[in-house]
Amino acid sequence: MNNYTSVKEFILLGLPHTEGLENMIFVLFLAFYLLALLGNLLILATILASSSLHTPMYFFLGNLSVFDIFFPSVNSPKMMASLAGRSRTISYQGCASQVFFYHTLGGTECFLYTVMAYDRFVAICHPMRYTVIMSHRVCTSLTVCTWLGGCVHGSVLAFLIFRLPYCGPNEVDSFFCDIPAVLSLACADTSLAQMVSFTNIGVVALVCFLLILTSYTRIVLSILKIRSSEGRRRAFSTCSAHLTSILLFYGPVILVYLRPASSPWLDSVVQVLNNVITPSLNPLIYSLRNKDVKVALRKMVTWI
């Protein structure tokens, strides 16, 4: 961070074209935020409490639940405070923190989905060696690497953006601090920062996507070799929830960061989906489409 930065705080302009709808949007976002917190806490508690779910697949799902608790908490509280009529200002350090944690957790999610795809690949393509390949040590190592990788990713981007001088104006055309909105306020040449951030996010997303695509290509080929239709259906069902979450993750990344022209209105809509709605949907996706989770949830609720 440069000492000559004159801007001490930023003003978050919020969601465009929502004048007069603040109370309704606040209630809606609060409902999704609470659903994300409670739903993911329930999934995490179920995985921890049920010995039948102490497998690599649910170990990674538990990590995804932790992520979906943290991720909406980066930006949602400040956004809801603004909608409730509180101050729209955010400190320079707070803005930098939002960029860091948002992209740290975004990178972590990207890596985590890749690891989960590899887990499904091993389970379906090498079922007899599954417990040996996906040992507790391997699962722990992969998880630590996903979180460390996300931290490095977020650190690089935050340093890159906030090493630039910000002399004013200080109005961020979004409901939270993110790279496209903040970079436009820098009073210096941002071409290098734009190129590196675009490349960084693009390379991480593309490499993870190609690894996921490779895993699922092998998975589909293996499933097609299964003779019984019931066996193929069960194999596909173990992957359907993960594939749905991947589509919900990669859609916003492509629309916001990997297209040449920026549209504040479209960016806001997509970021609302990514920040608020998707984390609340993951518990429903994994519980409604997963028999083991539903059985464990029912047992835990009955025990309570």
Side-chain angles (χ1 to χ4, degrees):
M1 309 286 177
N2 291 327
N3 294 327
Y4 53 77
T5 300
S6 59
V7 168
K8 302 300 180 185
E9 62 183 18
F10 294 94
I11 299 173
L12 302 175
L13 297 182
L15 298 171
H17 313 301
T18 57
E19 292 78 8
L21 302 174
E22 289 84 359
N23 291 336
M24 183 181 70
I25 296 174
F26 171 81
V27 172
L28 187 63
F29 283 2
L30 179 62
F32 275 111
Y33 181 56
L34 292 177
L35 181 62
L37 295 183
L38 296 176
N40 285 290
L41 281 172
L42 183 60
I43 292 293
L44 183 60
T46 302
I47 292 172
L48 292 174
S50 177
S51 58
S52 63
L53 299 183
H54 292 176
T55 63
M57 175 181 173
Y58 297 107
F59 175 76
F60 295 127
L61 178 56
N63 275 272
L64 182 62
S65 294
V66 172
F67 164 85
D68 282 332
I69 292 170
F70 288 156
F71 190 66
S73 300
V74 173
N75 303 318
S76 295
K78 181 63 180 177
M79 176 180 63
M80 289 187 290
S82 298
L83 289 169
R86 303 286 183 88
S87 174
R88 290 175 178 260
T89 62
I90 183 171
S91 67
Y92 180 86
Q93 292 78 12
C95 190
S97 296
Q98 280 194 341
V99 171
F100 169 73
F101 284 110
Y102 184 75
H103 286 280
T104 291
L105 292 170
T108 300
E109 182 179 28
C110 191
F111 298 138
L112 184 57
Y113 279 136
T114 306
V115 170
M116 292 173 76
Y118 175 70
D119 171 70
R120 291 298 82 208
F121 159 73
V122 176
I124 293 174
C125 298
H126 303 284
M128 302 303 293
R129 300 173 55 207
Y130 178 63
T131 56
V132 176
I133 296 174
M134 301 301 294
S135 64
H136 178 73
R137 181 179 178 181
V138 169
C139 291
T140 302
S141 299
L142 288 173
T143 302
V144 170
C145 288
T146 62
W147 287 93
L148 287 178
C151 186
V152 171
H153 175 68
S155 298
V156 169
L157 291 176
F159 174 78
L160 186 70
I161 303 307
F162 288 94
R163 65 183 291 273
L164 296 170
Y166 292 88
C167 316
N170 66 338
E171 294 183 338
V172 178
D173 192 12
S174 181
F175 61 90
F176 74 106
C177 290
D178 196 16
I179 292 173
V182 174
L183 261 185
S184 64
L185 303 177
C187 50
D189 181 18
T190 63
S191 57
L192 178 62
Q194 287 178 334
M195 182 187 69
V196 176
S197 60
F198 181 89
T199 303
N200 192 338
I201 294 171
V203 167
V204 168
L206 181 61
V207 169
C208 289
F209 178 77
L210 290 176
L211 290 173
I212 291 170
L213 184 62
T214 301
S215 294
Y216 273 100
T217 300
R218 297 286 301 276
I219 288 170
V220 169
L221 292 176
S222 295
I223 290 176
L224 292 177
K225 293 178 182 178
I226 300 175
R227 293 185 177 182
S228 68
S229 58
E230 177 63 20
R232 288 195 297 269
R233 187 192 65 80
R234 290 181 61 184
F236 272 121
S237 69
T238 64
C239 304
S240 59
H242 183 232
L243 284 171
T244 303
S245 296
I246 289 172
L247 292 174
L248 289 173
F249 170 73
Y250 272 96
V253 171
I254 293 171
L255 287 173
V256 174
Y257 300 107
L258 303 183
R259 58 190 173 89
S262 178
S263 169
W265 182 84
L266 179 60
D267 289 351
S268 295
V269 172
V270 173
Q271 294 289 23
V272 166
L273 173 68
N274 195 34
N275 279 269
V276 182
I277 299 177
T278 299
S280 66
L281 294 179
N282 275 339
L284 297 176
I285 292 170
Y286 280 96
S287 61
L288 292 178
R289 300 185 64 87
N290 190 298
K291 181 180 178 181
D292 294 334
V293 173
K294 286 191 288 187
V295 171
L297 272 171
R298 197 176 298 116
K299 287 182 179 179
M300 191 176 74
V301 171
T302 303
W303 180 75
I304 293 175

